Amino acid sequence: MASALRAAILGHIRVPVVANGSKLLTPLWIRSMSSHDDHLEKTQVIDRILDIVKSFPKVDPSKVTPEVHFQKDLGLDSLDNVEIIMAIEEEFKLEIPDKEADKIDSCALAIEYVYNHPMAS
Amino acid sequence: MSGAASYLARRAAQKERVRILYRRALKDTLNWAVHRHLFYPDADALRERFDANKNVEDIETIDRMIADGEAQHNKWRHPDPYIVPWAPGGSKFTRNPTPPSGIEIVYDYGREDH
């Protein structure tokens, strides 16, 4: 009895079927969990590094550009250089070896290093 | 002439040692004082200690001070420093190395003929 009623109802219900397969069946969220193209954009790297340098207390924020040299243009000390590089390491979750960290002297070098590092995030 | 060049080379090497010592000391300070509100005063105190000897000119004194500083740093090193996981010494270092090239998986499960 109930099964006959159920069969009659099911016979009348129509579920819309999407005939066009191409774009609609692969929703946008399928690749959002993939880290395949997880590299940082250069503009993001530049913005974050400039923010770090500008928020350093001994630096005048209006003088900071992507090509500025820490000791020559901003008048910082070599120890201030070390502090800025440590801040960059913390921001991008990197571990820079001591010898390489010693050579990073300007914003341009820092941006190059971070952008080319495979594990920067 | 070579005297001046070797003097400058020695000073440059000393400056590099000082920078690396400052870097390691700052990282250790952060390791010991985990919270930022404790770290900032400690980092300032460390910077004062470095700045107090900034104008020493005699090269032998500088050498002795650097050796002193490195000995003090060795004494105060943290037993369990924070190292970024994928770096050497971290927990994820060489965890999943890429397999050597030339090895391939043969997908013939059920079709092997032993």
Side-chain angles (χ1 to χ4, degrees), chain B:
Chain B
M1 280 299 114
S2 70
S6 74
Y7 172 78
L8 285 176
R10 234 178 118 182
R11 283 299 293 263
Q14 281 178 344
K15 287 180 188 170
E16 184 172 338
R17 275 174 79 183
V18 169
R19 285 197 293 264
I20 291 182
L21 177 64
Y22 181 60
R23 190 175 142 84
R24 291 196 182 150
L26 203 55
K27 284 191 176 168
D28 264 341
T29 315
L30 183 56
N31 281 330
W32 281 113
V34 178
H35 304 286
R36 288 279 159 172
H37 69 272
L38 301 170
F39 166 65
Y40 285 133
D42 285 346
D44 285 342
L46 177 71
R47 183 68 198 259
E48 293 294 317
R49 281 165 64 189
F50 270 80
D51 276 343
N53 302 327
K54 194 154 74 153
N55 295 321
V56 177
E57 288 297 334
D58 177 28
I59 205 164
E60 301 294 330
T61 321
I62 298 181
D63 262 341
R64 219 176 328 124
M65 277 198 229
I66 296 179
D68 243 349
E70 284 174 357
Q72 275 190 2
H73 166 70
N74 263 332
K75 188 173 150 206
W76 278 101
R77 268 199 319 199
H78 196 278
D80 183 21
Y82 173 71
I83 304 179
V84 175
W86 47 261
S91 57
K92 219 166 139 181
F93 183 56
T94 62
R95 185 185 272 190
N96 281 326
T98 50
S101 65
I103 289 185
E104 61 172 35
I105 306 177
V106 181
Y107 294 100
D108 63 345
Y109 178 69
R111 282 180 266 134
E112 308 106 335
D113 42 290
H114 305 294

Side-chain angles (χ1 to χ4, degrees), chain A residues 16-34:
Chain A
V17 172
V18 176
N20 171 21
S22 61
K23 241 345 183 139
L24 297 170
L25 285 184
T26 60
L28 292 168
W29 41 263
I30 283 228
R31 281 301 292 264
S32 69
M33 303 269 204
S34 121

